[in-house]
Amino acid sequence: MKVSGRKTGSALSHAPDNWNAVDWRRVERNVRGMQIRIAKATRESDWRRVKALQRMLTRTLSAKLYAVRRVTQNQGARTAGVDRELWNSPESRWEATGGLKRRGYKPLPLRRVFIPKANGKERPLGIPTMRDRAMQALYLLALEPVSESTSDPNSYGFRINRSTADAMGQVRACTSRKDSSRWVLEADIKGCFDHINHDWLENHVPMDREILRKWLKAGLIYKGQLQATEAGTPQGGIISPTLANVTLNGLERELVAHLGAKFGIVKAKKLKVNVVRYADDFVITGDSKEILESVVRPWVEAFLAVRGLQLSEAKTRITHIDDGFDFLGWNFRKYSGKLLIKPSKKNAQAFYRKVAETISGNKTAKQGDLIQLLNPMLRGWAQYHRPVSAKQTYSRMEHLIFRKLWRWSKRRHPQKSAVWVKQKYFHSIGARHWVFAVRTEREDGSWGLNELYQLSGMAIKRHTRIKGEFNPFDPTWEQYGETLRQGRMWEQMRYRKQWATLYMSQGGLCAHCGCALTDETGWHDHHLEYRMHGGADTLSNRVLLHPHCHQQVHAGKLVVTKPVLS
């Protein structure tokens, strides 16, 4: 691959000649430097400069390497498109980097697959080819600084460092006080991803229009038949969530401006209208049912209609806070004037159904294997509901799961007594009895109990929501963003104590390249002295690396040292 000898802000000073020779720290620095410049031009409304910088970024080697790394390290890396091609070797990834060119680019149709939803229905996904995914990731690098700089402050879905817990925290802030909004418009957009108007996207998304048009019109293949795509963005494409966010940006800001123009700024504030959005799910609070019904809802419907969207009549309603409403898997309701947020019944039922199906589908599995299947599910669900009043739901769910496991245990030994079954599958640990656990041999030769994760053991902790005006591409927010990232990664790792200790000792950075370890990049546990060479499993002999850095270290037989924080 040839690289221009000119010095630019994003050119690699020493171009690598293979995948394992890439200096990822320099790649990330180059890409981020260009993204910061794009965001600055966006804030200054210098759209000609934005377009020029975007074009420059998508043509750099650093951005192409970054894009290929992203699509080959994420969860979809093992899922092929219609060409059945996967980039699962360093050689194929290096060759793919050279093929990310605008000239002559023509995306292939999407591969249509269906995945089950919580309500029993199926969600359609469109799987692009690896090359099309990489091109989307490349142009997303240029689009994201613009979308982040122009997004509504209380939009939380598919944005850097934002989560459902942040959206929940904002709803709490808008409804928890005695003088807070009393009415809520629960909005549901009918098939958002399937109906977005293509012409609107082409005219309003700040990116290369020709490339965007090719993606939108690529079509899809289902059961061997090619189907045209006349509207919508495919769920499954890397860039699709950002396109949906750009489509709905302005819902909050423009509504506030409309109310200010209609009633005056002072009166508009007294209406207590607040918008909280997570992707295509949003709620709008208001001080009266009339204002939501006669002013807000018609305006929202007109806003969506321009974009080819409409509200679902069946799922859109206006509710009093004393009656409660569901949003993102939680139920928000005031009891005698006090707001309580609990896991919604629908969310709990869907989770139990998933656990019950796992238990029923593994009737002949070993107890240890079943525990290994269930624990990540239980831990993940418990962590999701950790910021809300979930203790009662945890206890109820534990009881239901215990009953299911007891039936699983009894079925395996129909000729044995209940006492015998209890002694085989259930144990006492401290003050806890009837713990579903199995005796296992540890690495040091001792024996211990591998137990089912205890839902009620999850401590409830209030979530600190992100500041609405935070922009990850604005240098003035750099320190805040770094603190936020490390804090949230710590929350994810704190139940894996050894990983958490390594993460904090490394300052949240990869021990090889020095770049940030995030949930998106993932991490591998690397032994400084290999265990096959006699290396110990102690923390002093281990570090956390990015998955691609781990591959580089082993492929190049590189030496990694324990990082020392200054």
Side-chain angles (χ1 to χ4, degrees):
M1 181 182 299
K2 293 183 180 179
V3 180
S4 172
R6 291 184 304 158
K7 290 185 177 180
T8 68
S10 57
L12 290 173
S13 56
H14 299 288
D17 57 4
N18 65 79
W19 185 259
N20 290 325
V22 176
D23 182 347
W24 290 109
R25 187 172 188 176
R26 184 180 294 275
V27 165
E28 288 199 18
R29 188 165 61 240
N30 290 343
V31 170
R32 179 156 180 82
M34 289 292 289
Q35 289 179 317
I36 289 173
R37 292 170 65 188
I38 293 171
K40 182 174 183 292
T42 302
R43 292 194 301 274
E44 295 170 352
S45 298
D46 189 348
W47 297 109
R48 289 185 64 183
R49 182 162 177 76
V50 168
K51 188 174 181 180
L53 289 170
Q54 286 182 319
R55 185 168 58 247
M56 188 186 303
L57 175 60
T58 56
R59 293 178 180 181
T60 62
L61 176 61
S62 289
K64 292 176 181 180
L65 288 167
Y66 196 102
V68 171
R69 187 186 76 179
R70 176 170 180 176
V71 301
T72 55
Q73 294 290 343
N74 62 17
Q75 291 183 346
R78 297 179 182 178
T79 305
V82 293
D83 61 354
R84 300 295 176 180
E85 183 180 342
L86 292 175
W87 299 340
N88 48 17
S89 69
E91 293 76 21
S92 61
R93 293 169 189 172
W94 179 251
E95 184 179 349
T97 305
L100 300 184
K101 296 177 180 177
R102 183 182 186 278
R103 179 176 295 178
Y105 170 66
K106 185 178 180 181
L108 292 175
L110 307 167
R111 182 165 69 91
R112 173 68 88 200
V113 297
F114 290 88
I115 60 172
K117 295 170 65 175
N119 60 8
K121 296 181 181 179
E122 291 186 321
R123 183 190 306 279
L125 289 184
I127 309 299
T129 64
M130 291 298 293
R131 185 184 181 215
D132 294 335
R133 269 178 262 177
M135 285 292 284
Q136 289 189 18
L138 176 63
Y139 280 86
L140 180 58
L141 290 174
L143 175 61
E144 213 164 27
V146 184
S147 67
E148 283 289 341
S149 302
T150 56
S151 288
D152 292 325
N154 293 306
S155 159
Y156 297 98
F158 304 111
R159 293 181 60 192
I160 299 171
N161 280 335
R162 298 188 181 226
S163 65
T164 52
D166 291 310
M168 178 273 296
Q170 180 60 20
V171 175
R172 188 204 302 269
C174 296
T175 56
S176 59
R177 297 185 299 274
K178 287 184 179 179
D179 60 346
S180 293
S181 307
R182 296 172 297 167
W183 293 89
V184 178
L185 170 64
E186 302 174 64
D188 184 89
I189 300 176
K190 189 176 180 180
C192 178
F193 282 86
D194 298 328
H195 296 104
I196 299 175
N197 185 279
H198 284 181
D199 291 335
W200 190 94
L201 285 172
E202 291 176 24
N203 291 325
H204 293 86
V205 176
M207 65 168 289
D208 189 312
R209 289 183 63 179
E210 185 179 339
I211 293 291
L212 177 59
R213 186 184 300 113
K214 287 181 178 180
W215 287 335
L216 296 176
K217 303 298 184 183
L220 55 89
I221 290 181
Y222 180 58
K223 293 183 177 179
Q225 299 294 317
L226 177 63
Q227 301 174 10
T229 47
E230 300 300 335
T233 62
Q235 295 186 63
I238 285 178
I239 205 170
S240 293
T242 303
L243 293 179
N245 268 337
V246 172
T247 303
L248 296 175
N249 277 343
L251 182 64
E252 179 181 359
R253 283 197 173 102
E254 292 179 27
L255 175 57
V256 170
H258 170 72
L259 294 174
K262 185 177 180 66
F263 298 104
I265 296 175
V266 175
K267 186 177 180 181
K269 286 185 177 179
K270 292 180 180 178
L271 297 175
K272 300 173 185 175
V273 173
N274 300 282
V275 181
V276 182
R277 180 169 68 85
Y278 188 91
D280 60 334
D281 293 329
F282 62 93
V283 295
I284 303 178
T285 67
D287 198 44
S288 70
K289 184 177 183 179
E290 292 72 28
I291 198 70
L292 292 177
E293 208 165 47
S294 61
V295 178
V296 173
R297 179 166 178 169
W299 183 90
V300 170
E301 289 175 340
F303 176 89
L304 295 176
V306 174
R307 292 153 175 78
L309 302 173
Q310 60 181 351
L311 293 176
S312 168
E313 289 294 332
K315 298 181 181 178
T316 301
R317 54 186 174 269
I318 297 173
T319 312
H320 196 280
I321 191 65
D322 290 348
D323 297 325
F325 65 95
D326 290 350
F327 183 53
L328 301 176
W330 292 298
N331 178 260
F332 299 76
R333 184 179 176 184
K334 273 190 173 178
Y335 299 82
S336 302
K338 182 179 180 180
L339 179 71
L340 287 182
I341 308 172
K342 303 178 181 179
S344 68
K345 289 183 180 179
K346 183 179 177 182
N347 179 275
Q349 288 169 354
F351 175 70
Y352 175 70
R353 190 160 53 243
K354 181 180 177 182
V355 171
E357 287 172 357
T358 301
I359 296 172
S360 299
N362 289 274
K363 291 184 173 70
T364 60
K366 294 181 180 178
Q367 186 182 9
D369 293 338
L370 180 61
I371 290 173
Q372 196 169 357
L373 282 173
L374 292 176
N375 276 355
M377 296 164 56
L378 298 174
R379 185 183 294 109
W381 187 76
Q383 281 184 290
Y384 184 82
H385 294 295
R386 187 177 181 230
V388 303
S389 304
K391 279 293 185 182
Q392 188 176 356
T393 308
Y394 287 161
S395 298
R396 173 64 178 162
M397 188 62 65
E398 275 191 339
H399 175 67
L400 292 174
I401 293 173
F402 163 77
R403 289 172 55 186
K404 190 72 177 176
L405 289 172
W406 177 248
R407 289 195 293 271
W408 179 89
S409 304
K410 286 273 291 178
R411 179 189 175 279
R412 294 162 73 88
H413 307 282
Q415 305 302 321
K416 298 290 185 179
S417 68
V419 173
W420 187 93
V421 173
K422 176 185 180 297
Q423 290 176 344
K424 179 172 177 62
Y425 293 103
F426 297 87
H427 301 266
S428 295
I429 301 177
R432 296 166 55 215
H433 305 291
W434 288 87
V435 178
F436 191 70
V438 61
R439 286 175 56 82
T440 55
E441 186 176 7
R442 299 186 178 125
E443 291 185 1
D444 59 3
S446 63
W447 286 83
L449 286 174
N450 178 23
E451 63 177 286
L452 188 73
Y453 181 80
Q454 182 189 9
L455 289 174
S456 57
M458 174 64 71
I460 303 300
K461 183 181 178 183
R462 179 74 65 88
H463 177 81
T464 303
R465 74 180 186 279
I466 196 171
K467 294 181 180 179
E469 60 272 23
F470 168 68
N471 185 342
F473 300 105
D474 185 345
T476 59
W477 287 95
E478 185 76 30
Q479 186 175 351
Y480 175 82
E482 189 64 23
T483 303
L484 189 72
R485 179 185 64 81
Q486 289 198 21
R488 296 194 171 181
M489 281 295 291
W490 165 255
E491 286 298 319
Q492 289 191 41
M493 288 184 166
R494 66 194 299 268
Y495 300 101
R496 301 289 184 90
K497 294 182 179 178
Q498 293 191 345
W499 280 357
T501 302
L502 290 173
Y503 179 83
M504 297 305 290
S505 70
Q506 295 176 204
L509 304 177
C510 172
H512 176 60
C513 71
C515 296
L517 293 164
T518 67
D519 187 40
E520 182 181 336
T521 64
W523 58 86
H524 282 178
D525 195 340
H526 173 70
H527 288 72
L528 301 177
E529 183 180 358
Y530 297 171
R531 279 183 290 183
M532 67 176 63
H533 297 158
D537 206 33
T538 57
L539 291 179
S540 60
N541 188 47
R542 291 157 57 193
V543 291
L544 296 180
L545 306 177
H546 289 127
H548 52 271
C549 290
H550 201 193
Q551 293 170 0
Q552 276 189 334
V553 167
H554 282 276
K557 298 181 180 179
L558 305 177
V559 176
V560 179
T561 58
K562 198 81 172 174
V564 179
L565 297 180
S566 56

